[in-house]
Amino acid sequence: MNGLSTVFIVLGLFLLGGVYSLWKQQLPKSVITLVAIGSAMCLAAGVLRLEVWS
């Protein structure tokens, strides 16, 4: 596990917490969707950069 994959995974989890916070505040669904897509992309990038796959 290198540093960049760790950063992506931590950032994805941070954004996932933001999605939960925005959902509890009942903000517009478009904002929640954009943050959720960003979180999923960061998590996917972090997991795909793990050295397990090579």
Side-chain angles (χ1 to χ4, degrees), residues 5-24:
S5 64
T6 304
V7 169
F8 277 135
I9 292 173
V10 169
L11 180 62
L13 291 175
F14 177 77
L15 289 174
L16 196 60
V19 168
Y20 178 73
S21 174
L22 293 173
W23 181 266
K24 292 299 260 184

Side-chain angles (χ1 to χ4, degrees), residues 40-54:
M41 288 173 55
C42 283
L43 285 172
V47 169
L48 289 175
R49 285 193 54 89
L50 289 175
E51 311 230 345
V52 177
W53 310 113
S54 56

Side-chain angles (χ1 to χ4, degrees), residues 23-42:
W23 181 266
K24 292 299 260 184
Q25 294 178 29
Q26 296 178 348
L27 264 71
K29 302 281 191 249
S30 60
V31 175
I32 297 171
T33 303
L34 285 176
V35 176
I37 290 171
S39 172
M41 288 173 55
C42 283

